[in-house]
Structures are given as C-alpha cells and as structure tokens.
Amino acid sequence: MNVFEELTQIQAEFQKDLKLALDLEQLDHLKIKYIGRSGVVTTLLRSISSVKKEDRPKFGSKANQLKSEISGLIAEKIDVFKNDTDLRKAENLDVTLPGRTPVIGSLHPTTQIVQEICDIFVSLGFSVIEGPEIEFDKYNFEMLNIPKGHPARDMWSTMWIENPNHSNTNSTLLRTHTSPMQARFMEATSPPIRIVVPGKCYRYEATDSTHEWHFYQIEGLVVDKGINFANLKGTLYEFAKRIFGNDRKVRFRCDYFPFVEPGVDMSISNFKDSEGKRPIKGRDEDWIEILGAGMVHPEVLKGVGYDPDIYTGFAFGMGPERISMLRDGIDDIRHFYSNDLRFLSQFV
Ligand code: PHE
C-alpha cells in the first residue's frame, strides 16, 4: 500500500469513527487518535522522507488537507453536541416543579424580643423612645441619685471614655443601663409621661452564660399625678402574663436601686406541674427574677424640676435577652452575640 492509499484508508476509517463518536469526550479521543502529536495522520506525514522525491509535494499537500478536513469535521460535530446538550437541558426543565425557596434572613433574635416587649407596652399606651449609648456621668449616675463616690456605683461596673472636650476624665462613659433616659426625658418634657426605652448597655464585666459585657435593656417610666405602687404592679403583671402566659404568678420583693423608693424586683413563678416538670426549662427554682422596678425617687423628680408633692411615678428596667432565654429555653446569653447561624436560624 503506498502512502496515497494509506491516506484514503485513514480518511475512510475516520469517517466511520466520526459516526460512532457519541459525545464530546469521544470526539476528543478522535482528535488525538488522528491529528494529535502522535496521531495517525501526523505520524504518516513525518514519514515523508521515505516517500519518492517527486511524490513528496503531492503527498504533503494531500496529508495536510486530510488533517484540516479531520479537524474541521470534529469541530463541527463538537458544535452540534454542545447545542444538543443545551437543548437537552432545556427539555429536561420541568416548569411545573415548585421553585427553590431562596434563603432569606430574618430579624435578629434580640430585635425580635425587643420589638415584642415594646409592642406590649405600646398596646398599654406607652411610647417608644431611644437615647444615646455614650452617656455623661450626670445622666447615668448623678441625676439618678447616685453622686460621685456613692458606693452604689459599684452596682454598675463602668467603661469610661476619654473625652477631649471634658477635663474631667470620669465624665463620659458607655451607659451601664437605660435609666439615664429617665432623667433625660423628664428634663426635656413635662408629665404625663408613659415611655419605654429599648437600647444597648455596656458593663466592664467578665462574661458567662448569664452575663454579657454588652446587652439590651428596656426601661419603663410613668409619671403623672396620682401614680402609685398599684399601677406599677398592675402594669408589670399584665406584661408578665403576655410574655409568659396567663398561668404565671408574679412576686414582688424589696430591692435597692438609688433612683427608686421603694425599690423592688419582680419574679415569675416556676412551680412544678403535676408531673414534676417546671414550666421554664433548665431552671430549678420556684421563682425567677426578671426585672427591677420601683417608685421614682423624690430626689430624682426634684432634680429634673418636678414637684414630688404633685407628681409621682414608677420606673422599671429589664433585660430582654434574659427574658427571651427564660421563655424560649436558651441556655447561654452569649449565643445572642456570637452570630452562629445554627442559633440564629431558630428564630427565622
Ligand atoms: N437600671 C437598673 C439596672 O440596670 C434597673 C432598674 C430600672 C431598676 C428602673 C429600677 C427602676 O439594674
């Protein structure tokens, strides 16, 4: 068989092979087999030196022609296959299948509980207001009946802030509670007052499962003529029932906060049911404290220019994360600020 016959044979073989190629991968193999670096056409071309001198130009051009023919035919079929897979994909598309639900975010669990608590108070006639997180000693302490050097300051481990506008280095701080808004709001308005103040607070404290160095509080303040302790009890009892359910009892005990007199803390009942189970998961006491409260101290009223013989009021402060922990069975307050999606996604 001379080289020209060999070329014809290769061409015929390639035609057969091409018909049998069923996918892109097989086409790739064909390319290697025929026109790859050691493909049959390429190898034949390399043997040109053994071809008779006069036949060389003709052989060379025929072989190169075959090479480009093969490469063209393979490229054509690659195109066909590519379109075909697109087509097949389109045919497999079942438009009646339900769509994939996109993953959507949701409000942060702290935001959710803050809003829920605020909504309760709004429905009781309160307004929601907010105040600064960077606060002056004056509002955070002094106007709340906690003068400089007062031992009660130790109740709030404070993060102080360097303030270039004040020579007194102990004048600016990250608020340790939302109570400064009591003084700010009373100073700026006159009674009747019925507000709740949600906001972030900061304390210079080590963290553990029930303490964060930053957390939310919700402050409440009511001031008017004739406000009394029964109003405080009624309001907070209603709140506790709405959050924890109608079966819950509340208990008030004396407590001390310099800006209220008398001061109390309020607990909710956690008695065992007939099967010996507690309504609040993970807590083995009969009563669980949820907030501090009291009648606004006459000194505080005087400090903002109110006459305590005419006006009286009550105030309360609670930690919304702690309330969510109790109600929703969360074991560690640090979950709220660790941004772990396994925790956050439970609140979607
Ligand atoms: N501000 C107090 C605290 O952080 C809570 C409180 C608010 C107590 C209002 C009484 C009245 O501990």
Side-chain angles (χ1 to χ4, degrees):
M1 193 163 31
N2 67 31
V3 281
F4 293 103
E5 283 165 348
E6 259 185 77
L7 280 177
T8 329
Q9 202 189 345
I10 292 173
Q11 191 179 25
E13 238 170 69
F14 170 74
Q15 294 291 356
K16 254 194 269 165
D17 275 353
L18 186 66
K19 264 190 213 140
L20 293 176
L22 293 175
D23 56 31
L24 291 168
E25 199 185 342
Q26 288 177 358
L27 283 175
D28 230 33
H29 285 303
L30 276 194
K31 210 168 170 178
I32 295 165
K33 178 177 170 189
Y34 286 94
I35 54 176
R37 237 189 298 152
S38 31
V40 280
V41 183
T42 326
T43 318
L44 194 61
L45 249 170
R46 250 186 240 131
S47 66
I48 194 155
S49 53
S50 63
V51 178
K52 272 191 268 164
K53 220 173 186 171
E54 63 270 29
D55 285 344
R56 279 183 199 166
K58 193 175 162 204
F59 167 70
S61 87
K62 280 242 160 149
N64 276 319
Q65 224 177 310
L66 180 59
K67 214 175 159 179
S68 59
E69 185 188 318
I70 288 175
S71 132
L73 286 171
I74 290 177
E76 241 172 62
K77 201 154 175 182
I78 286 178
D79 270 356
V80 173
F81 278 172
K82 277 195 176 148
N83 291 337
D84 215 38
T85 30
D86 288 350
L87 218 65
R88 250 182 285 147
K89 267 192 214 145
E91 277 164 11
N92 283 341
L93 183 72
D94 182 350
V95 292
T96 63
L97 279 174
R100 270 182 218 139
T101 341
V103 185
I104 47 166
S106 61
L107 292 178
H108 190 277
T110 304
T111 309
Q112 291 188 31
I113 187 73
V114 167
Q115 286 188 353
E116 189 181 342
I117 294 171
C118 287
D119 284 350
I120 291 172
F121 285 103
V122 166
S123 79
L124 297 174
F126 286 69
S127 305
V128 181
I129 61 148
E130 286 180 64
E133 289 174 26
I134 295 179
E135 195 44 287
F136 291 115
D137 183 303
K138 176 181 157 193
Y139 292 107
N140 197 85
F141 291 125
E142 278 169 43
M143 290 182 78
L144 296 174
N145 202 25
I146 318 169
K148 288 214 165 63
H150 195 291
R153 285 193 177 213
D154 292 349
M155 292 167 72
W156 299 273
S157 320
T158 307
M159 285 195 251
W160 297 94
I161 292 178
E162 274 179 35
N163 184 348
N165 299 323
H166 282 252
S167 51
N168 180 358
T169 45
N170 285 356
S171 67
T172 314
L173 47 83
L174 289 177
R175 69 175 170 200
T176 59
H177 49 177
T178 41
S179 301
M181 277 309 287
Q182 290 187 32
R184 277 183 180 273
F185 196 77
M186 284 192 281
E187 193 183 55
T189 46
S190 28
I193 290 171
R194 234 182 287 146
I195 55 164
V196 279
V197 189
K200 198 93 180 269
C201 305
Y202 303 82
R203 291 200 193 159
Y204 186 62
E205 265 172 18
T207 63
D208 62 29
S209 64
T210 51
H211 295 86
E212 255 292 4
W213 63 271
H214 59 151
F215 50 91
Y216 269 77
Q217 278 197 345
I218 297 178
E219 191 80 11
L221 176 68
V222 173
V223 182
D224 203 351
K225 287 177 188 153
I227 297 294
N228 57 35
F229 197 80
N231 301 136
L232 178 157
K233 284 175 80 174
T235 306
L236 292 179
Y237 188 25
E238 179 62 27
F239 159 75
K241 282 203 296 190
R242 296 235 199 138
I243 286 280
F244 293 101
N246 277 331
D247 299 338
R248 216 48 66 86
K249 292 182 163 54
V250 299
R251 180 185 74 177
F252 291 90
R253 281 192 314 185
C254 289
D255 202 344
Y256 171 68
F257 304 95
F259 36 91
V260 286
E261 181 57 38
V264 292
D265 57 51
M266 183 174 98
S267 301
I268 49 164
S269 61
N270 188 31
F271 299 129
K272 286 182 181 152
D273 61 16
S274 49
E275 288 160 20
K277 279 209 206 117
R278 303 256 188 211
I280 289 183
K281 265 202 276 169
R283 296 289 294 261
D284 200 28
E285 339 68 299
D286 284 341
W287 294 98
I288 298 172
E289 195 183 313
I290 62 165
L291 55 83
M295 299 305 292
V296 181
H297 198 290
E299 286 303 317
V300 175
L301 293 173
K302 267 190 238 162
V304 295
Y306 292 3
D307 182 347
D309 290 331
I310 301 174
Y311 292 109
T312 48
F314 68 83
F316 56 88
M318 65 181 89
E321 290 102 345
R322 286 189 176 192
I323 286 173
S324 170
M325 284 170 77
L326 294 172
R327 193 193 55 182
D328 307 322
I330 300 162
D331 58 358
D332 196 317
I333 194 168
R334 291 167 294 192
H335 285 315
F336 284 93
Y337 297 101
S338 60
N339 278 336
D340 189 328
L341 285 176
R342 287 168 299 183
F343 172 71
L344 298 178
S345 57
Q346 292 168 35
F347 292 82
V348 172

